[in-house]
Amino acid sequence: MNSEERHQARYERRKAQREWVRREKLAEFDNFERIADVNSLIRANFDSRRGVMWKASVARYNMHFYRNAVKTHYDLMAGKNIHSGYYAFGIIERGKARSIHSLHYSERVIRRSACINSLVPILSINLIYDNGASLKGKGVKFSADRCETHLHQYFRKHGSNGGYILIIDFKKYFDNIQHEPLFEIIDKSFTDERIRFFAKSCIATTDADKPPEERGKGLYIGPEDSQIYAVAYPNKIDHLIKDQWRIHPYNRYMDDSYIIHESKEALTQIRDALFTEYRKMGIIPNEKKTQIVKLSRGFTFLKTKYFLTDTGKVIRKSDHDSIVRERRKLKKLKRFYDNGEMTIPQIEQSYMSWRGYILQKDAYDSVKSMDALFFDLFHTKPWKNKKNKSKRRVQNGRKKTVYSGRNQRPEVIAC
């Protein structure tokens, strides 16, 4: 057996393995009755209400959640229309206006059940490994770590930081997702006609308040199922890059992605070819934000500034704007505290959440200065809290157990 035959044999084995995984997933999750099951709806309600039980609509639903789950089960099995429209409102996020469409809580429970019991398990089967948005076990940290891994791999292969990176960004990604290609993905992924009809009807609800010329495209950001549709929509292009073009240092997080290559001319050709593929699917690249950058100069991905040094070290710096926003936020929280609108524990929880996120980067000096500002404003140091360090000492000849830290094993000492 020569090398070409061995390559073909490996390809056939991998193909058979993927097909076996797909059949197993379809056998388990390609079933509408799993979505409409009363236990599935109750579990979806428990997941949906987490952190929002203070809302009146959520409280009303949960007063009789079992009765509501049974009624929803019969409505779904009878094929009734369960769509009840959206609450539309606008927000300003970092100076950018965004239109948000929130579901009624009863429909949110149904779509959560659909995501848990069918949509996410099946639509995520063929996703590339470096697709990290809105998937269990992945997320922003996963994609950031993969970016660092790709930079290390590039340096080990080429021995320098002289390469280039193509930063890709989509313009109004959710608004430009075409419904027909998305319907084709659903038809290809599922065999249960009831799931196909349910998924397509959820997507079609976005056309209700649009003029005729704008119908047939766009997803709302609020519903949970919109996230998995947006993750899976450009999957065909992801495989084109990874499998056919053989470009492995490629990473995509929703509408942000990058490609690393040693040649600037090659990246220019790849960019033009990708623009053609994107336009076929209705995706509009943001030509202002899509750019080719030299690795040694540093680049920004997912609000993190990356630098690949000439020794192969990868430095991750926090985005300057996030530091400025946190300083302003702390000063605003101080006004809330003075007015009695917030308590110190609430403020500490907010700050420690941001602090834990920023410590994943090379931001020692930034955190140190922010700690000093926090202490000046609130005269407390939550990062010095020793509530996770406990000591239990038992005297009178018994053994004593000393806990010296959160991640350390207890040390048993004979008294």
Side-chain angles (χ1 to χ4, degrees), residues 272-376:
D272 296 340
L274 282 177
F275 279 9
T276 302
E277 296 295 330
Y278 289 145
R279 292 189 181 97
K280 291 179 182 178
M281 301 188 68
I283 300 174
I284 302 176
N286 191 327
E287 297 187 6
K288 182 179 179 180
K289 294 183 179 180
T290 301
Q291 52 188 335
I292 300 175
V293 182
K294 198 171 180 62
L295 289 177
S296 58
R297 294 184 56 186
F299 62 93
T300 301
F301 179 66
L302 298 180
K303 305 299 180 183
T304 302
K305 188 77 171 180
Y306 291 86
F307 297 92
L308 178 61
T309 66
D310 54 2
T311 61
K313 181 180 179 179
V314 176
I315 300 174
R316 293 200 285 188
K317 290 288 186 181
S318 176
D319 183 45
H320 176 70
D321 292 340
S322 65
I323 302 293
V324 174
R325 282 194 300 271
E326 185 63 20
R327 285 185 174 276
R328 294 174 178 172
K329 180 180 178 180
L330 289 179
K331 295 174 183 178
K332 186 174 291 187
L333 292 179
K334 179 63 166 64
R335 293 196 293 270
F336 289 163
Y337 172 69
D338 293 338
N339 296 332
E341 300 177 24
M342 291 188 70
T343 63
I344 287 294
Q346 292 174 331
I347 296 172
E348 288 180 350
Q349 183 180 22
S350 173
Y351 177 66
M352 291 303 291
S353 175
W354 176 87
R355 192 176 186 270
Y357 161 74
I358 211 71
L359 281 176
Q360 298 174 2
K361 308 172 186 180
D362 301 310
Y364 174 80
D365 292 335
S366 299
V367 172
K368 188 175 180 180
S369 64
M370 199 70 69
D371 287 347
L373 175 63
F374 188 91
F375 181 74
D376 290 340

Side-chain angles (χ1 to χ4, degrees), residues 394-400 414-415:
V394 182
Q395 304 296 335
N396 299 327
R398 299 181 181 179
K399 292 183 177 180
K400 64 179 181 179
C415 295

Side-chain angles (χ1 to χ4, degrees), residues 259-272:
I259 297 175
I260 300 175
H261 202 277
E262 67 272 13
S263 172
K264 184 176 181 180
E265 291 74 17
L267 283 180
T268 302
Q269 297 176 1
I270 292 171
R271 179 195 61 193
D272 296 340

